Amino acid sequence: MGRKFFVGGNFKMNGTIKSIKEIVHNLSTSKLDPDTEVVIAPPSLYLLLAREHLGPNIEVAAQNVFDKPHGAFTGEISVTQLKDSNITWTLLGHSERRTILREQDDFVATKTKAALDGGIGVILCCGESLEEREQGVTTEVVTRQLEAVNKTIGKDGWKNVVIAYEPIWAIGTGKVATTEQAQEVHAAIRKWLSEAVSSEVAEETRIIYGGSVSEKNCRELAKQSDVDGFLVGGASLKPEFVQIINAKV
Ligand code: G3P
């Protein structure tokens, strides 16, 4: 069986009760490709609101989660709390958290392990800066980020991970990676998975692309053999998100 196409919507720190209800209503009343897995990630304050108003065909993800089960960790939420709220996925390692909030590879890895151990799927983000791309070290950067996780979760952990390749220079810039650039890095990630983990994990793991995905560029990107879906930022807040979900139809 092939890899199921996966489209995530990362709302980042956007939305209000009203706008999130509207987005959820639009998703719930639109015809979505049943062969695509859809997950939306609103800000934590609105996770339950989204969950409450969505049908069972769409899952909800946190944008981050902490690696301890409970306790004195002001401002954090735990895997146990996500489970308790029927939130089944989390993003981890987004470049905005790596750069603005200074999250290191090891911390992302520990949190990934905690989420997987607690039964939460992880959309694990990786990607290079423009400077790193220009230096020709894209593959090294991305595989270093993934290797930290691999060391921590081991071979069996990967079955509940979706890898999101998000080149930082393409995020929110309107400057999408070309289909060739995306395919090239996705293929390099799959090759790394096959060498560092196993050929089964390489074959089964979804590798999705993020960075200025729109209703205009999604179809071409979706045709690439190693592009198994998208992680969508800005466009996930708009009605056009439905066209991105349906990119394969
Ligand atoms: O996680 C999604 C992301 O960072 C891409 O954002 O706005 O370029 O689609 P955007």
Side-chain angles (χ1 to χ4, degrees):
M1 214 180 74
R3 297 180 291 271
K4 188 168 188 178
F5 205 68
F6 185 106
V7 176
N10 176 8
F11 296 1
K12 309 193 177 184
M13 199 176 69
N14 293 300
T16 59
I17 292 176
K18 183 168 178 283
S19 72
I20 287 173
K21 275 188 182 165
E22 281 165 10
I23 293 169
V24 161
H25 179 74
N26 181 44
L27 289 173
S28 302
T29 53
S30 297
K31 196 166 162 10
L32 307 181
D33 180 357
D35 294 327
T36 293
E37 190 168 348
V38 182
V39 177
I40 60 166
S44 53
L45 186 58
Y46 304 119
L47 287 169
L48 278 172
L49 176 80
R51 182 60 282 161
E52 194 186 328
H53 288 83
L54 278 170
N57 59 329
I58 299 181
E59 295 292 322
V60 180
Q63 295 177 13
N64 181 38
V65 74
F66 200 51
D67 63 349
K68 306 287 186 300
H70 53 79
F73 303 105
T74 302
E76 296 296 330
I77 54 176
S78 73
V79 173
T80 323
Q81 290 168 329
L82 293 183
K83 281 286 268 195
D84 186 42
S85 306
N86 199 17
I87 307 303
T88 50
W89 288 87
T90 185
L91 304 185
L92 282 172
H94 192 282
S95 61
E96 285 147 18
R97 297 200 64 86
R98 290 181 190 267
T99 55
I100 304 167
L101 293 149
R102 306 207 181 97
E103 288 194 7
Q104 303 290 317
D105 294 345
D106 288 357
F107 188 40
V108 174
T110 317
K111 295 200 292 181
T112 302
K113 175 144 177 55
L116 296 173
D117 286 352
I120 298 282
V122 174
I123 303 167
L124 175 64
C125 305
C126 60
E128 83 288 4
S129 64
L130 182 58
E131 201 185 1
E132 289 162 337
R133 173 158 284 266
E134 286 171 351
Q135 286 166 1
V137 294
T138 297
T139 308
E140 284 85 337
V141 169
V142 167
T143 53
R144 185 205 74 222
Q145 292 168 340
L146 298 175
E147 182 53 41
V149 171
N150 191 37
K151 275 203 308 234
T152 312
I153 66 171
K155 182 170 175 245
D156 293 338
W158 289 97
K159 54 177 177 300
N160 290 320
V161 176
V162 169
I163 297 174
Y165 167 59
E166 300 206 317
I168 297 173
W169 46 270
I171 295 177
T173 57
K175 195 176 174 213
V176 65
T178 63
T179 50
E180 294 76 20
Q181 284 171 325
Q183 169 57 28
E184 190 183 17
V185 181
H186 284 226
I189 292 172
R190 207 173 299 288
K191 180 165 177 282
W192 173 82
L193 280 173
S194 133
E195 290 165 0
V197 191
S198 73
S199 52
E200 293 78 40
V201 168
E203 188 51 41
E204 285 163 14
T205 303
R206 271 90 56 92
I207 305 173
I208 63 176
Y209 168 80
S212 297
V213 175
S214 71
E215 77 286 2
K216 295 196 181 70
N217 57 36
C218 63
R219 288 179 176 276
E220 276 311 300
L221 284 161
K223 284 186 197 150
Q224 304 306 304
S225 58
D226 287 298
V227 174
D228 304 314
F230 302 115
L231 185 55
V232 185
S236 68
L237 300 162
K238 301 181 187 154
E240 295 86 277
F241 187 45
V242 169
Q243 287 161 257
I244 301 174
I245 291 170
N246 292 335
K248 294 286 265 187
V249 180

